[in-house]
Amino acid sequence: MSTDNKFIPLTIHELDPTTMQHKASEFRSFMDMRRTVRQFSDKHVPKSVITDIIMTASTAPSGAHKQPWTFCAVSDDDIKKAIRTAAEKEEYENYHGRMTEEWLKDLAPFETDWKKPFLETAPWLIVIFKKSYGLSNGQRSKNYYVNESVGIATGMFITAVHNAGLVALTHTPSPMNFLGKILNRPANETPFLLIPVGYPAMDAKVPDLTRKPENEVICWY
Ligand code: IYR
């Protein structure tokens, strides 16, 4: 079938099997060192690094290539404070009645609570918004597989943060509608995740976790 669509040759170079195995194993080990961190340093991280990390995330595949995401990068102290205040208000309610006993028990090993100082300490708060539909000059358009697309972009974002030698926290204040208000986002954008990014605090500690082994994660057919 001939169409008027424009296609260009794919540029990717095939690796020899030894190099392939080496790179796959090395990257697995590197990614296995990624940890979610809750104690941040206030050390400066250049805007250009954050730009590269976000634009890496934005290479993610998306439904019909709509790229249905916006990454809001916040370094302004007043906005960070406003986000912290609003998040702590919701989290206080979550930890004092809105979360089930089972949920609180599942969270106990992580020693989280309603206080979120990292929302002011971390040099950058990245608020990822999903675009449930497109909106341009008042015209609505359809987006597809929005949660899948933004979830993949978020995974690539977290990977890019780790690759830059920085740490991140996938934070889920709930409900998150205050983020759209504080950041003055348009009606088609819904907050997806709030991710502080920076250096870990000098004394940062992480829970002693293990990851599931291959036989619990992979089914071969
Ligand atoms: N949103 C709360 C609670 C919380 C929920 C899950 I699931 C976690 O893995 C961690 C925390 C908070 O951010 O504290």
Side-chain angles (χ1 to χ4, degrees):
M1 189 179 72
S2 145
T3 64
D4 292 334
N5 299 318
K6 192 167 171 239
F7 283 79
I8 55 170
L10 172 69
T11 46
I12 190 159
H13 40 264
E14 188 175 315
L15 302 173
D16 66 80
T18 312
T19 310
M20 180 190 288
Q21 183 59 69
H22 180 75
K23 286 195 67 153
S25 302
E26 197 175 52
F27 194 63
R28 171 182 174 178
S29 302
F30 173 70
M31 287 311 297
D32 202 23
M33 286 167 58
R34 185 204 59 79
R35 295 301 309 259
T36 293
V37 167
R38 291 188 167 76
Q39 293 114 26
F40 284 81
S41 150
D42 62 1
K43 189 172 169 181
H44 173 74
V45 172
K47 185 177 175 180
S48 55
V49 171
I50 298 300
T51 304
D52 281 339
I53 290 170
I54 292 173
M55 293 315 287
T56 299
S58 197
T59 68
S62 60
H65 190 53
K66 296 285 186 176
Q67 298 184 267
W69 46 68
T70 302
F71 290 75
C72 294
V74 180
S75 62
D76 180 277
D77 285 338
D78 293 337
I79 302 178
K80 287 200 287 186
K81 193 189 222 8
I83 290 175
R84 177 183 177 180
T85 304
E88 287 186 334
K89 193 163 164 261
E90 295 296 354
E91 291 298 326
Y92 185 89
E93 297 302 328
N94 291 337
Y95 282 89
H96 294 85
R98 281 207 297 230
M99 290 194 287
T100 61
E101 282 302 315
E102 182 182 3
W103 194 349
L104 290 169
K105 204 166 134 267
D106 279 341
L107 283 184
F110 305 96
E111 297 189 359
T112 57
D113 62 22
W114 64 272
K115 295 188 212 100
K116 305 297 176 192
F118 51 77
L119 292 174
E120 284 190 89
T121 323
W124 291 98
L125 302 182
I126 312 302
V127 190
I128 305 179
F129 287 85
K130 62 177 182 185
K131 295 184 177 182
S132 315
Y133 55 95
L135 191 59
S136 182
N137 303 321
Q139 277 290 109
R140 277 173 175 245
S141 55
K142 276 211 54 98
N143 285 337
Y144 309 92
Y145 300 101
V146 170
N147 286 319
E148 291 84 347
S149 302
V150 183
I152 295 166
T154 300
M156 293 175 65
F157 177 86
I158 292 166
T159 305
V161 167
H162 182 58
N163 180 58
L166 297 169
V167 295
L169 168 62
T170 32
H171 179 40
T172 52
S174 172
M176 294 204 268
N177 45 348
F178 65 86
L179 290 167
K181 289 190 192 112
I182 292 173
L183 299 173
N184 201 20
R185 300 313 304 164
N188 63 325
E189 294 189 7
T190 312
F192 187 73
L193 275 172
L194 168 48
I195 309 191
V197 173
Y199 292 88
M202 291 279 251
D203 57 352
K205 291 214 166 28
V206 292
D208 188 12
L209 303 180
T210 54
R211 292 187 163 115
K212 287 182 178 175
E214 288 176 17
N215 66 342
E216 286 181 41
V217 175
I218 313 176
C219 292
W220 301 102
Y221 293 90

mmCIF file of all heavy atoms in Angstrom, residues 38 91 94-95 99 103 107 110 112-114 116 118 170-174, ligand 1:
data_model
loop_
_atom_site.group_PDB
_atom_site.id
_atom_site.type_symbol
_atom_site.label_atom_id
_atom_site.label_comp_id
_atom_site.label_asym_id
_atom_site.label_seq_id
_atom_site.Cartn_x
_atom_site.Cartn_y
_atom_site.Cartn_z
ATOM 1 N N ARG A 38 14.078 9.266 50.609
ATOM 2 C CA ARG A 38 13.169 10.231 51.248
ATOM 3 C C ARG A 38 13.890 11.369 51.954
ATOM 4 O O ARG A 38 13.250 12.314 52.390
ATOM 5 C CB ARG A 38 12.239 9.511 52.245
ATOM 6 C CG ARG A 38 11.242 8.611 51.567
ATOM 7 C CD ARG A 38 10.191 8.025 52.498
ATOM 8 N NE ARG A 38 9.113 7.441 51.701
ATOM 9 C CZ ARG A 38 9.202 6.283 51.066
ATOM 10 N NH1 ARG A 38 10.302 5.563 51.150
ATOM 11 N NH2 ARG A 38 8.188 5.833 50.349
ATOM 12 N N GLU A 91 -2.004 14.641 53.457
ATOM 13 C CA GLU A 91 -1.361 13.455 54.047
ATOM 14 C C GLU A 91 -1.747 13.283 55.512
ATOM 15 O O GLU A 91 -1.876 12.155 55.999
ATOM 16 C CB GLU A 91 0.158 13.535 53.891
ATOM 17 C CG GLU A 91 0.643 13.383 52.463
ATOM 18 C CD GLU A 91 0.287 12.037 51.847
ATOM 19 O OE1 GLU A 91 0.261 11.015 52.555
ATOM 20 O OE2 GLU A 91 0.006 12.010 50.641
ATOM 21 N N ASN A 94 -4.792 11.457 55.434
ATOM 22 C CA ASN A 94 -4.560 10.073 55.004
ATOM 23 C C ASN A 94 -4.086 9.211 56.162
ATOM 24 O O ASN A 94 -4.599 8.113 56.386
ATOM 25 C CB ASN A 94 -3.510 10.022 53.881
ATOM 26 C CG ASN A 94 -4.035 10.616 52.590
ATOM 27 O OD1 ASN A 94 -5.242 10.675 52.374
ATOM 28 N ND2 ASN A 94 -3.134 11.069 51.724
ATOM 29 N N TYR A 95 -3.081 9.733 56.902
ATOM 30 C CA TYR A 95 -2.495 8.937 57.984
ATOM 31 C C TYR A 95 -3.378 8.911 59.230
ATOM 32 O O TYR A 95 -3.144 8.127 60.134
ATOM 33 C CB TYR A 95 -1.094 9.459 58.334
ATOM 34 C CG TYR A 95 -0.033 9.019 57.337
ATOM 35 C CD1 TYR A 95 0.245 9.779 56.212
ATOM 36 C CD2 TYR A 95 0.660 7.821 57.506
ATOM 37 C CE1 TYR A 95 1.202 9.381 55.287
ATOM 38 C CE2 TYR A 95 1.624 7.410 56.595
ATOM 39 C CZ TYR A 95 1.886 8.192 55.488
ATOM 40 O OH TYR A 95 2.844 7.776 54.577
ATOM 41 N N MET A 99 -6.489 6.171 55.321
ATOM 42 C CA MET A 99 -5.860 4.926 54.861
ATOM 43 C C MET A 99 -6.342 3.770 55.736
ATOM 44 O O MET A 99 -6.523 3.929 56.931
ATOM 45 C CB MET A 99 -4.327 5.039 54.899
ATOM 46 C CG MET A 99 -3.774 5.981 53.855
ATOM 47 S SD MET A 99 -1.987 5.839 53.594
ATOM 48 C CE MET A 99 -1.356 6.572 55.053
ATOM 49 N N TRP A 103 -3.307 -0.967 54.831
ATOM 50 C CA TRP A 103 -2.406 -0.066 54.104
ATOM 51 C C TRP A 103 -1.333 0.468 55.058
ATOM 52 O O TRP A 103 -0.131 0.451 54.752
ATOM 53 C CB TRP A 103 -3.220 1.072 53.467
ATOM 54 C CG TRP A 103 -2.480 1.860 52.428
ATOM 55 C CD1 TRP A 103 -1.141 1.808 52.157
ATOM 56 C CD2 TRP A 103 -3.033 2.822 51.517
ATOM 57 N NE1 TRP A 103 -0.823 2.681 51.135
ATOM 58 C CE2 TRP A 103 -1.958 3.310 50.732
ATOM 59 C CE3 TRP A 103 -4.323 3.313 51.284
ATOM 60 C CZ2 TRP A 103 -2.153 4.272 49.727
ATOM 61 C CZ3 TRP A 103 -4.492 4.271 50.292
ATOM 62 C CH2 TRP A 103 -3.424 4.742 49.524
ATOM 63 N N LEU A 107 2.778 -0.081 54.960
ATOM 64 C CA LEU A 107 3.709 1.052 54.873
ATOM 65 C C LEU A 107 4.668 1.119 56.054
ATOM 66 O O LEU A 107 5.698 1.802 55.972
ATOM 67 C CB LEU A 107 2.935 2.372 54.801
ATOM 68 C CG LEU A 107 2.314 2.723 53.454
ATOM 69 C CD1 LEU A 107 1.666 4.102 53.536
ATOM 70 C CD2 LEU A 107 3.364 2.729 52.353
ATOM 71 N N PHE A 110 8.474 1.300 55.932
ATOM 72 C CA PHE A 110 9.095 2.466 55.270
ATOM 73 C C PHE A 110 9.161 3.689 56.184
ATOM 74 O O PHE A 110 9.776 4.695 55.843
ATOM 75 C CB PHE A 110 8.328 2.809 53.978
ATOM 76 C CG PHE A 110 8.218 1.638 53.039
ATOM 77 C CD1 PHE A 110 7.089 0.827 53.035
ATOM 78 C CD2 PHE A 110 9.274 1.314 52.206
ATOM 79 C CE1 PHE A 110 6.997 -0.264 52.193
ATOM 80 C CE2 PHE A 110 9.191 0.217 51.365
ATOM 81 C CZ PHE A 110 8.051 -0.577 51.363
ATOM 82 N N THR A 112 7.129 6.006 56.851
ATOM 83 C CA THR A 112 6.628 7.262 56.287
ATOM 84 C C THR A 112 5.612 7.862 57.264
ATOM 85 O O THR A 112 5.040 7.140 58.083
ATOM 86 C CB THR A 112 5.935 7.027 54.934
ATOM 87 O OG1 THR A 112 4.880 6.083 55.125
ATOM 88 C CG2 THR A 112 6.903 6.486 53.903
ATOM 89 N N ASP A 113 5.415 9.140 57.193
ATOM 90 C CA ASP A 113 4.312 9.758 57.932
ATOM 91 C C ASP A 113 3.810 10.975 57.148
ATOM 92 O O ASP A 113 4.189 11.151 55.988
ATOM 93 C CB ASP A 113 4.721 10.112 59.375
ATOM 94 C CG ASP A 113 5.849 11.129 59.425
ATOM 95 O OD1 ASP A 113 6.040 11.868 58.433
ATOM 96 O OD2 ASP A 113 6.554 11.187 60.448
ATOM 97 N N TRP A 114 2.953 11.783 57.776
ATOM 98 C CA TRP A 114 2.325 12.882 57.032
ATOM 99 C C TRP A 114 3.275 14.040 56.782
ATOM 100 O O TRP A 114 2.988 14.897 55.959
ATOM 101 C CB TRP A 114 1.065 13.369 57.766
ATOM 102 C CG TRP A 114 1.345 13.968 59.117
ATOM 103 C CD1 TRP A 114 1.419 13.309 60.311
ATOM 104 C CD2 TRP A 114 1.588 15.354 59.408
ATOM 105 N NE1 TRP A 114 1.705 14.192 61.324
ATOM 106 C CE2 TRP A 114 1.801 15.459 60.801
ATOM 107 C CE3 TRP A 114 1.643 16.523 58.635
ATOM 108 C CZ2 TRP A 114 2.080 16.672 61.426
ATOM 109 C CZ3 TRP A 114 1.912 17.737 59.261
ATOM 110 C CH2 TRP A 114 2.126 17.798 60.639
ATOM 111 N N LYS A 116 6.293 16.021 55.235
ATOM 112 C CA LYS A 116 6.993 15.898 53.950
ATOM 113 C C LYS A 116 8.044 16.998 53.763
ATOM 114 O O LYS A 116 7.956 17.820 52.836
ATOM 115 C CB LYS A 116 5.959 15.949 52.789
ATOM 116 C CG LYS A 116 4.831 14.918 52.904
ATOM 117 C CD LYS A 116 5.340 13.493 52.851
ATOM 118 C CE LYS A 116 4.241 12.467 53.065
ATOM 119 N NZ LYS A 116 4.774 11.104 53.303
ATOM 120 N N PHE A 118 10.916 16.919 52.584
ATOM 121 C CA PHE A 118 11.653 16.830 51.311
ATOM 122 C C PHE A 118 11.032 17.721 50.236
ATOM 123 O O PHE A 118 11.695 18.080 49.267
ATOM 124 C CB PHE A 118 11.748 15.375 50.828
ATOM 125 C CG PHE A 118 10.439 14.647 50.790
ATOM 126 C CD1 PHE A 118 9.516 14.868 49.778
ATOM 127 C CD2 PHE A 118 10.125 13.710 51.775
ATOM 128 C CE1 PHE A 118 8.304 14.203 49.746
ATOM 129 C CE2 PHE A 118 8.910 13.029 51.757
ATOM 130 C CZ PHE A 118 7.995 13.275 50.741
ATOM 131 N N THR A 170 9.207 8.794 44.270
ATOM 132 C CA THR A 170 7.900 8.788 43.610
ATOM 133 C C THR A 170 6.856 9.018 44.697
ATOM 134 O O THR A 170 6.479 8.093 45.415
ATOM 135 C CB THR A 170 7.648 7.434 42.903
ATOM 136 O OG1 THR A 170 8.318 6.403 43.658
ATOM 137 C CG2 THR A 170 8.167 7.436 41.495
ATOM 138 N N HIS A 171 6.437 10.260 44.815
ATOM 139 C CA HIS A 171 5.558 10.662 45.902
ATOM 140 C C HIS A 171 4.122 10.774 45.381
ATOM 141 O O HIS A 171 3.896 11.270 44.274
ATOM 142 C CB HIS A 171 6.052 12.008 46.460
ATOM 143 C CG HIS A 171 5.212 12.539 47.562
ATOM 144 N ND1 HIS A 171 4.676 11.752 48.556
ATOM 145 C CD2 HIS A 171 4.812 13.809 47.845
ATOM 146 C CE1 HIS A 171 3.989 12.512 49.388
ATOM 147 N NE2 HIS A 171 4.052 13.760 48.976
ATOM 148 N N THR A 172 3.196 10.293 46.203
ATOM 149 C CA THR A 172 1.792 10.221 45.775
ATOM 150 C C THR A 172 0.866 10.882 46.783
ATOM 151 O O THR A 172 0.067 10.196 47.425
ATOM 152 C CB THR A 172 1.354 8.747 45.635
ATOM 153 O OG1 THR A 172 1.688 8.077 46.890
ATOM 154 C CG2 THR A 172 2.047 8.046 44.508
ATOM 155 N N PRO A 173 0.980 12.201 46.981
ATOM 156 C CA PRO A 173 0.003 12.814 47.874
ATOM 157 C C PRO A 173 -1.392 12.571 47.300
ATOM 158 O O PRO A 173 -1.544 12.522 46.078
ATOM 159 C CB PRO A 173 0.359 14.299 47.841
ATOM 160 C CG PRO A 173 1.077 14.504 46.558
ATOM 161 C CD PRO A 173 1.766 13.211 46.262
ATOM 162 N N SER A 174 -2.350 12.366 48.167
ATOM 163 C CA SER A 174 -3.669 12.011 47.643
ATOM 164 C C SER A 174 -4.768 12.673 48.472
ATOM 165 O O SER A 174 -4.748 12.562 49.692
ATOM 166 C CB SER A 174 -3.802 10.490 47.700
ATOM 167 O OG SER A 174 -5.110 10.107 47.388
HETATM 168 N N1 IYR B 1 0.904 8.957 49.917
HETATM 169 C C1 IYR B 1 1.419 8.658 51.242
HETATM 170 C C2 IYR B 1 1.378 7.202 51.576
HETATM 171 C C3 IYR B 1 2.227 6.274 50.826
HETATM 172 C C4 IYR B 1 1.627 5.315 50.043
HETATM 173 C C5 IYR B 1 2.375 4.363 49.410
HETATM 174 I I1 IYR B 1 1.447 2.896 48.365
HETATM 175 C C6 IYR B 1 3.785 4.374 49.531
HETATM 176 O O1 IYR B 1 4.536 3.405 48.867
HETATM 177 C C7 IYR B 1 4.396 5.327 50.326
HETATM 178 C C8 IYR B 1 3.609 6.299 50.946
HETATM 179 C C9 IYR B 1 2.819 9.235 51.413
HETATM 180 O O2 IYR B 1 3.418 9.670 50.432
HETATM 181 O O3 IYR B 1 3.312 9.264 52.536
#
